[in-house]
Amino acid sequence: MTNRKDMTGADALLAALADEGVTVCFANPGTTELDLVRSLEREERMRCVVGLQENVCTGGADGYGRMTGRPAATLLHLGPGFANGIANLHNARRAHTPIVNLIGDHTSWHLPYDSPLTSDIESLARPVSGWVHRIAAVEQSDAAGREAVKQSLARGGQGATLIFPADHQAHTGGEQVALQQPAADVGAEVPAAFDPVAAVQRLKAANRIVFLLGGGGELSGLGVRAQKAVQRLCAALGATAYAETFPSRSERGQGLPAFDRLPYFPEPAREVLDPADLVVLVGALPPVTYFGYEGHPSLLVPAERLLKLAAVGDDAATRLEQVADLLGAVEVAIPVAVLSPPEEGPLTPARIALALANELPERAIVSVEGGTCGYPFYAVSAAARPHTTLTNTGGAIGQGLPVAMGAAIACPNRQVVALLSDGSTQYTIQTLWSLAHEDLDVVVLIAANHQYAILRNELRRGGAVLGNRAAEITSLDKPRIDWVTLAQSYGVPGGRATTSSELTALLRQAFAKRGPMLIEMAL
Amino acid sequence: MTNRKDMTGADALLAALADEGVTVCFANPGTTELDLVRSLEREERMRCVVGLQENVCTGGADGYGRMTGRPAATLLHLGPGFANGIANLHNARRAHTPIVNLIGDHTSWHLPYDSPLTSDIESLARPVSGWVHRIAAVEQSDAAGREAVKQSLARGGQGATLIFPADHQAHTGGEQVALQQPAADVGAEVPAAFDPVAAVQRLKAANRIVFLLGGGGELSGLGVRAQKAVQRLCAALGATAYAETFPSRSERGQGLPAFDRLPYFPEPAREVLDPADLVVLVGALPPVTYFGYEGHPSLLVPAERLLKLAAVGDDAATRLEQVADLLGAVEVAIPVAVLSPPEEGPLTPARIALALANELPERAIVSVEGGTCGYPFYAVSAAARPHTTLTNTGGAIGQGLPVAMGAAIACPNRQVVALLSDGSTQYTIQTLWSLAHEDLDVVVLIAANHQYAILRNELRRGGAVLGNRAAEITSLDKPRIDWVTLAQSYGVPGGRATTSSELTALLRQAFAKRGPMLIEMAL
């Protein structure tokens, strides 16, 4: 092991992380993390991005990890500070994003006294962490940091959480040692060998095939290469293909096929899946309904009709190309989709979608949260300039804005757009400050309908009438939040659009300059 | 059991809660709580207060429970929604506040399919709940609701968490039945019999006595009766008395003794406690340092020097009066403290404290969070008109504003003041919307020093120099948040004070009218 006997535990840990390529830390530290803060003075390789609430930090790490495939660190304060970041770690878990969480804890000998900030951190951490480790001695700091990075990259990407008592952060150790309690063996996962010939046989035997493409990095089902190979397969097999409903990351736009997403509600999803005698999973999980709906099975496709062509984290692109080659599937010209301009008039979700699709710069990253504009945008975005889409993978809302922030840290030369709804954005509204503080090139679009529309849609399912109290509980209308002054109060310039042409003008203004801007889109 | 066979499980649960006196629900529901939302149409006894983020709801329930001694309910969405409210449930746990948490979960038969929003709710709930129960059948709904209320009042007050699958909410059951798995027996706690004669003997044998008074309801150590009895005891015994450092609720002001709080840092706390040969706990826990500090013991007073006169939840007032009577301790006149007006000039924490103490209306409730003004205010508040103080009991920040909101719901005829710092208030800034939505009489005072001052104080302990990166990480100065426009964007009128006279004028304006107002106090 590295000799780091003159370093504090905090120094050794940060050096180990930086050695392993972790160079961004999304931080909201407290008193039990101060030696890690002191170490940041010395570890110049680590960039520190402050968030004013912890879901800003964990969502930021999620966005960063999705765009780079590498973990960022988070730095969070004890159990309660960590708890404030759990919701976006839940989303990150569903996105298979590698993240290294650093949680300071009380000095080890202080823990038994149950002082006010003491809590069961492990119990809080396990539901969102593939691996949880408590550093038991300063000499473990180096090994724990390296192991955490390794663990974060296991199983296609996951949360690796280190609990780091304050005394072990502060003290200097002797020789660094290996972890006393070795972690669960990551090597135990032996990836299933891929048999392209068997896959071809299954495909040839099927009559009606649906490909379901999972999101992720460049080699995932929704990367450029995989989508092109799927397009060949669809043409050769008479198959259709869908993106999973909430992909962590997908490539989209001109030059790529216009695959739809699998619908959210069970009825239209079943219209896609029920007629298929083979559903091919390309880095997507077996499709299940989002919630349990009476009269619909949770598991939408039984195992015997599924073909798992690639798991999360596998090189789906190469597998698809092998299969396409074996089938003799030829290249298919992808038609140039034509994008009409939005009709002039008061904003509607469809007009917002068209205005954004028309103005979106090439290589933009669009973080989408909220159903109001998310679905309409997807419906037209195949005709936009090539771009990357990030969606809310785990359903914990307040994810879209922090993920956009993290993507902007990861990709400083790309325009980032956050296409959001007013209800969900409130959960992590403090992100606006970090956008201004870091001067990030993020354009925040708020579809302001002043309600929790998704809940009203669910309440009205089956033709039910919305009750008075249900209407009140799902209303954000009294008072209406003024998003423009809200943004300005955090140092983010803002504007309001009520018509298609106003929105187009504001989008052009926002994309023409560097730095953050918020546009309230009145609905 | 009640016959509620025509009711849905959600109806039965809400009716049981209302029957048991739970009539306020702080809610941020989602799709798995919609049958509880539907039931709110029918259960008119239950008031519903919407929060835009879950720590708003849980902090609101904490403030409500502290002021009424009765539980409010929270209504939260699955594991991630609950997680967003954990930090303030942690504070509520330390305050011994009764709270009934309702968490919707997936339809029971949907859970095995691990759909996006599925998580280990129990693992998240246990660290902040004295009791966690999953409703296993619709017929349990009534009994589970009643048991949750009972559990929330056990052990001096605690969180009782019900996980309620969506199908059991929606279905109508037959006869309601008792819980199949009886809860841990609350009756097992046999309160220690109080022996006032033995207590008198310990007190008489001691030379130097310090009383440590715990916060809570009217009969707690920091209620009016107990404080007056302690004042008699101090005079008779030559003892001194301190409030615990962070009391959940305490009475303060003219007509009450001017007891200090036990200092936060170990050095001054030890100056109080080390010379005492007897420390009398009156509903306070044995004092421990807030964090572990090298060179200081965690447990500040060893067991042999402690006398536990009353535990949390005991009737401390009656015990103290019994002891005082046995000792023949006579009534002591409490001198009328004189409050000077604040010196005119730029705002300082001391001037803010004096301005507020001078203007504070009688029976105001002051929710204090943040060290910048909290300590200076306490130093002068004994001379203010009689009022109630609520502090941050658990150290999870973002508590002061929601607790103020909950107190205002509990006590609509009392002026509520939230005395806050800029750093901590950001964590639950969305509370402003609920203040406006409910038109609550809460004056929000923000000490805006644009930094995490507590961390800088800790970093500078022992004369250390603040490093450049540490300064950056603890800075909120780039950009400065504009608190006045921030409040206005949420529908809360705001003003800014830079001098003592400006602050006094704004306070008078705020206290003269109903409804919320925010004052940024520039430091």
Side-chain angles (χ1 to χ4, degrees), chain A residues 27-32 34 37-38 40-41 43-48 50-55 77-81 83-84 86-87 90 93-94 106-107 109-110 113-120 122-127 167 171 246 264 288-299 393-397 423 426-430 433 436-437 452 454-455 458-460 466-483 485-486 488-491, chain B residues 27-32 34 37-38 40-41 43-48 50-55 77-81 83-84 86-87 90 93-94 106-107 109-110 113-120 122-124 126-127 167 171 246 264 288-299 393-397 423 426-430 433 436-437 452 454-455 458-460 466-483 485-486 488-491:
Chain A
N28 189 272
T31 300
T32 48
L34 290 183
V37 171
R38 291 186 184 100
L40 285 167
E41 299 290 337
E43 184 48 81
E44 294 181 353
R45 292 174 291 176
M46 187 70 76
R47 176 177 180 183
C48 191
V50 174
L52 302 190
Q53 200 268 358
E54 291 83 349
N55 270 326
H77 183 41
L78 291 154
N84 276 340
I86 285 175
H90 172 88
R93 177 168 80 95
R94 296 296 181 187
H106 286 297
T107 287
W109 45 263
H110 186 62
Y113 298 95
D114 196 32
S115 62
L117 271 162
T118 306
S119 66
D120 184 347
E122 278 87 345
S123 188
L124 297 171
R126 275 189 292 264
D167 50 343
H171 292 167
F246 295 106
Y264 172 83
V288 297
T289 60
Y290 206 81
F291 294 105
Y293 293 100
E294 308 264 348
H296 296 285
S298 294
L299 188 63
T393 47
I397 58 180
Q426 274 300 319
Y427 291 77
T428 46
I429 189 64
Q430 306 90 341
W433 184 83
H437 183 66
Y452 289 123
I454 179 69
L455 296 187
E458 292 269 5
L459 283 162
R460 289 184 182 122
L466 191 69
N468 289 336
R469 291 195 75 189
E472 194 188 319
I473 291 168
T474 55
S475 169
L476 301 171
D477 206 33
K478 194 187 133 210
R480 290 199 167 196
I481 293 167
D482 183 332
W483 286 87
T485 56
L486 179 53
Q488 288 165 349
S489 73
Y490 284 111
Chain B
N28 189 272
T31 300
T32 48
L34 289 184
V37 171
R38 290 186 185 100
L40 285 167
E41 299 291 338
E43 184 48 81
E44 294 180 353
R45 292 173 290 175
M46 186 70 77
R47 177 177 181 182
C48 192
V50 174
L52 302 189
Q53 201 267 358
E54 291 83 348
N55 270 325
H77 184 40
L78 290 156
N84 276 340
I86 286 175
H90 172 88
R93 178 168 80 95
R94 296 296 181 187
H106 286 298
T107 286
W109 45 262
H110 186 61
Y113 298 95
D114 197 32
S115 62
L117 271 163
T118 307
S119 66
D120 184 347
E122 278 87 344
S123 189
L124 297 171
R126 275 189 292 264
D167 49 344
H171 292 166
F246 294 106
Y264 173 84
V288 297
T289 60
Y290 207 81
F291 294 105
Y293 293 99
E294 307 264 347
H296 296 286
S298 294
L299 188 62
T393 47
I397 58 180
Q426 274 300 318
Y427 290 77
T428 47
I429 188 65
Q430 305 90 342
W433 184 83
H437 183 66
Y452 289 122
I454 179 71
L455 297 186
E458 292 270 5
L459 283 161
R460 288 183 181 123
L466 191 70
N468 288 337
R469 291 195 75 190
E472 193 187 319
I473 291 168
T474 55
S475 167
L476 301 171
D477 207 35
K478 192 188 136 215
R480 291 199 166 195
I481 293 167
D482 182 332
W483 285 88
T485 57
L486 178 52
Q488 288 166 347
S489 73
Y490 282 111

Side-chain angles (χ1 to χ4, degrees), chain B residues 103-187:
Chain B
I103 312 174
D105 197 3
H106 286 298
T107 286
S108 56
W109 45 262
H110 186 61
L111 262 184
Y113 298 95
D114 197 32
S115 62
L117 271 163
T118 307
S119 66
D120 184 347
I121 301 177
E122 278 87 344
S123 189
L124 297 171
R126 275 189 292 264
V128 288
S129 309
W131 183 75
V132 180
H133 179 76
R134 176 178 286 273
I135 296 178
V138 59
E139 291 83 2
Q140 278 188 4
S141 308
D142 177 280
R146 293 178 195 276
E147 181 69 22
V149 177
K150 184 176 157 197
Q151 289 286 344
S152 76
L153 294 163
R155 298 185 190 86
Q158 62 182 3
T161 299
L162 283 174
I163 304 168
F164 202 175
D167 49 344
H168 304 327
Q169 292 176 41
H171 292 166
T172 49
E175 295 284 317
Q176 290 287 330
V177 297
L179 293 189
Q180 290 174 331
Q181 295 183 300
D185 187 3
V186 177

Side-chain angles (χ1 to χ4, degrees), chain B residues 108-369:
Chain B
S108 56
W109 45 262
H110 186 61
L111 262 184
Y113 298 95
D114 197 32
S115 62
L117 271 163
T118 307
S119 66
D120 184 347
I121 301 177
E122 278 87 344
S123 189
L124 297 171
R126 275 189 292 264
V128 288
S129 309
W131 183 75
V132 180
H133 179 76
R134 176 178 286 273
I135 296 178
V138 59
E139 291 83 2
Q140 278 188 4
S141 308
D142 177 280
R146 293 178 195 276
E147 181 69 22
V149 177
K150 184 176 157 197
Q151 289 286 344
S152 76
L153 294 163
R155 298 185 190 86
Q158 62 182 3
T161 299
L162 283 174
I163 304 168
F164 202 175
D167 49 344
H168 304 327
Q169 292 176 41
H171 292 166
T172 49
E175 295 284 317
Q176 290 287 330
V177 297
L179 293 189
Q180 290 174 331
Q181 295 183 300
D185 187 3
V186 177
E189 306 165 56
V190 180
F194 177 60
D195 181 350
V197 176
V200 165
Q201 283 173 341
R202 284 286 302 273
L203 291 168
K204 280 187 170 169
N207 291 313
R208 195 153 171 177
I209 301 170
V210 170
F211 286 87
L212 196 56
L213 311 180
E218 287 170 15
L219 302 176
S220 73
L222 290 166
V224 168
R225 272 178 54 200
Q227 288 190 63
K228 289 185 173 172
V230 170
Q231 179 82 340
R232 288 165 65 195
L233 287 166
C234 285
L237 296 162
T240 53
Y242 288 81
E244 61 185 347
T245 311
F246 294 106
S248 58
R249 172 180 161 193
S250 55
E251 299 307 315
R252 186 87 175 148
Q254 289 290 356
L256 287 170
F259 298 140
D260 273 346
R261 290 197 288 173
L262 187 71
Y264 173 84
F265 280 115
E267 295 85 353
R270 291 184 66 179
E271 281 177 30
V272 169
L273 297 169
D274 284 357
D277 60 348
L278 188 67
V279 174
V280 183
L281 302 176
V282 185
L285 297 176
V288 297
T289 60
Y290 207 81
F291 294 105
Y293 293 99
E294 307 264 347
H296 296 286
S298 294
L299 188 62
L300 288 168
V301 183
E304 62 272 18
R305 289 201 282 127
L306 290 173
L307 169 61
K308 294 184 188 176
L309 198 135
V312 176
D314 284 340
D315 175 353
T318 301
R319 292 184 181 190
L320 287 162
E321 286 166 357
Q322 283 182 287
V323 171
D325 290 345
L326 282 174
L327 276 166
V330 294
E331 294 283 343
V332 187
I334 293 166
V336 176
V338 177
L339 202 55
S340 55
E343 204 175 71
E344 177 55 2
L347 285 179
T348 62
R351 287 172 182 162
I352 289 170
L354 271 175
L356 177 59
N358 272 283
E359 301 305 322
L360 198 65
E362 190 160 342
R363 299 191 71 235
I365 300 163
V366 186
S367 173
V368 178
E369 182 174 51

Side-chain angles (χ1 to χ4, degrees), chain B residues 408-446:
Chain B
I409 298 280
C411 305
N413 297 318
R414 297 176 67 174
Q415 175 69 57
V416 178
V417 177
L419 179 60
L420 310 174
S421 292
D422 51 356
S424 46
T425 304
Q426 274 300 318
Y427 290 77
T428 47
I429 188 65
Q430 305 90 342
T431 314
L432 290 173
W433 184 83
S434 296
L435 296 186
H437 183 66
E438 300 284 339
D439 196 26
L440 298 175
D441 213 11
V442 179
V443 174
V444 182
L445 304 176
I446 303 289

